[in-house]
Amino acid sequence: MIKYSLAIVLTLGLFAVAIAQEKSWLDDDRKVITDSTAAVFYQIKEADASIGLIKEETYYKQNDQLFSKGYLEIRTDYRTGTWQWFYSNGNKMRQLTYSSDRIVGYQSVYDSTGNLLENYALSKSSEEGVPYYYKYKKELDGSVSIKDGNGVFNGPYKGDSKAIDSLSGHYKNQKASGLWKGYKDNVLVYEEIYEDGVPKSGKSYHNGKSYTYDSYSQSAQPLMNSKKFMRKLQIHISHYYDLIELNNNDYSTNMSILFVIDKEGNVSDIKIKDGMGKGPDEMAIRGLRSMDVKWKPAQVRGIPVQSYVRIPFSMESRECSNC
């Protein structure tokens, strides 16, 4: 009986250590402050190490009404699972689902009376400036512009791209279809044709020029056949390796050459990853520079952009009397 009671005490003690609670005062921007009299919200975080999560709840200070609730990963502080926000009257404001701080699935937005305003999801495509998937959208005048995934969108862009701030186009079965236009400060930035939510072709406008394209983005490419480029790179790097003495510890079969291609197609900032040491790595960099190959820069919506290139590269060990 004594052993049994002791086990209960130990278990409760461990449970108390696993869960820790923290209270903070927040201003109107929900930033932590020390002056409780100036606070608009207060926040309670409760960490549970046994499940690796922190429960976060934020309240309106004026009436102790719940403002938001959700979970954070203890290890990363990333949002995870379903998060909800509420108006001060208790009605739901919006609901999102996160996975490692990334919004996934459909998002719902409500007005202060609890009526649904929007139901949409980020496109599965990773491209910036691409329309979201939409199930439902209600306008400020009460009219429904998108219902059951079909209708017309004309409003603010909700994604991460800084290139546009508004979009217009049609939805078919929740996905962008036909002609879409993107704007920034009421100036046309691009026109694109969509099929099943994917941009197929378009024209963009930048610094007084127009650019046509058949795909959203293209990676940087050397202005020669890729196989010929790799053969030439092998020859040039081998040439510089022959100028130095390599010992047995220098040898590595695989490495990566990293570099930048600017908007004009020039190579810069060459680096070696998983190389053979300072001397051999410098020779590999000299080998790439000596090629003097012009590149076609990467493009986004037909516009040349700076990009990073990674080339996996292999060198076979050579025999030498000192190895």
Side-chain angles (χ1 to χ4, degrees):
M1 186 68 181
I2 295 176
K3 291 182 179 180
Y4 180 76
S5 300
L6 181 61
I8 293 177
V9 172
L10 289 174
T11 302
L12 292 175
L14 289 172
F15 184 75
V17 171
I19 297 178
Q21 194 176 87
E22 172 188 322
K23 183 176 181 179
S24 303
W25 299 102
L26 311 179
D27 63 14
D28 197 32
D29 296 322
R30 291 181 293 287
K31 294 181 180 179
V32 177
I33 58 176
T34 57
D35 184 4
S36 62
T37 60
V40 179
F41 303 93
Y42 63 90
Q43 186 176 87
I44 297 175
K45 288 185 177 181
E46 191 174 85
D48 189 341
S50 66
I51 59 173
L53 296 176
I54 301 171
K55 182 171 72 172
E56 179 184 294
E57 294 182 340
T58 302
Y59 296 83
Y60 293 94
K61 181 189 171 187
Q62 62 179 0
N63 60 0
D64 296 320
Q65 173 64 46
L66 183 65
F67 170 74
S68 68
K69 65 177 181 178
Y71 285 89
L72 304 168
E73 298 173 3
I74 288 180
R75 185 175 59 85
T76 61
D77 213 33
Y78 288 163
R79 286 178 175 174
T80 187
T82 300
W83 277 69
Q84 298 179 63
W85 287 261
F86 303 87
Y87 292 99
S88 58
N89 62 8
N91 288 329
K92 187 183 293 186
M93 183 187 301
R94 59 180 174 140
Q95 178 172 308
L96 290 78
T97 302
Y98 288 88
S99 175
S100 295
D101 224 31
R102 183 174 181 270
I103 298 174
V104 296
Y106 276 84
Q107 309 173 38
S108 299
V109 181
Y110 303 84
D111 64 20
S112 59
T113 63
N115 293 315
L116 180 65
L117 292 177
E118 294 181 287
N119 187 225
Y120 61 90
L122 179 66
S123 170
K124 293 180 181 178
S125 169
S126 60
E127 291 94 352
E128 290 188 351
V130 173
Y132 282 16
Y133 293 170
Y134 254 88
K135 287 183 179 179
Y136 182 88
K137 189 174 191 298
K138 188 177 184 180
E139 303 299 332
L140 294 176
D141 62 5
S143 63
V144 177
S145 56
I146 300 173
K147 185 178 181 181
D148 298 327
N150 299 288
V152 178
F153 183 93
N154 187 8
Y157 166 68
K158 300 178 183 296
D160 295 329
S161 175
K162 304 300 182 183
I164 60 172
D165 55 24
S166 61
L167 286 167
S168 66
H170 288 77
Y171 276 101
K172 182 179 180 181
N173 298 327
Q174 304 179 28
K175 300 175 183 179
S177 180
L179 177 64
W180 276 75
K181 296 182 179 182
Y183 300 86
K184 178 72 172 181
D185 298 328
N186 295 318
V187 176
L188 182 64
V189 175
Y190 70 74
E191 301 173 277
E192 287 180 334
I193 302 297
Y194 282 78
E195 293 181 13
D196 202 29
V198 178
K200 294 297 183 179
S201 62
K203 179 182 286 189
S204 60
Y205 305 91
H206 182 69
N207 291 338
K209 297 181 180 180
S210 63
Y211 302 84
T212 58
Y213 49 96
D214 295 323
S215 61
Y216 173 86
S217 62
Q218 294 182 349
S219 58
Q221 298 291 334
L223 294 179
M224 65 168 58
N225 178 275
S226 58
K227 290 184 178 179
K228 183 178 179 181
F229 172 83
M230 291 304 296
R231 285 197 300 268
K232 188 173 182 179
L233 179 61
Q234 181 92 30
I235 292 170
H236 277 249
I237 291 180
S238 296
H239 167 73
Y240 280 96
Y241 275 2
D242 288 340
L243 299 180
I244 62 174
E245 297 227 353
L246 299 175
N247 59 51
N248 196 46
N249 293 328
D250 289 327
Y251 287 96
S252 175
T253 55
N254 298 294
M255 63 181 179
S256 294
I257 305 175
L258 313 172
F259 52 95
V260 172
I261 300 296
D262 65 19
K263 297 178 183 179
E264 285 71 44
N266 301 308
V267 177
S268 65
D269 196 22
I270 306 171
K271 298 177 181 177
I272 305 297
K273 183 179 180 182
D274 300 324
M276 295 188 256
K278 184 177 180 180
D281 289 357
E282 289 176 353
M283 293 300 103
I285 291 173
R286 288 180 64 182
L288 177 60
R289 283 180 178 155
S290 68
M291 292 177 63
D292 195 29
V293 174
K294 193 73 173 177
W295 285 66
K296 180 181 180 181
Q299 296 179 1
V300 175
R301 288 197 165 100
I303 302 172
V305 296
Q306 178 176 290
S307 65
Y308 293 89
V309 176
R310 175 182 175 273
I311 298 179
F313 193 79
S314 299
M315 285 296 295
E316 295 183 4
S317 302
R318 59 181 172 82
E319 294 183 4
C320 67
S321 59
N322 295 325
C323 296

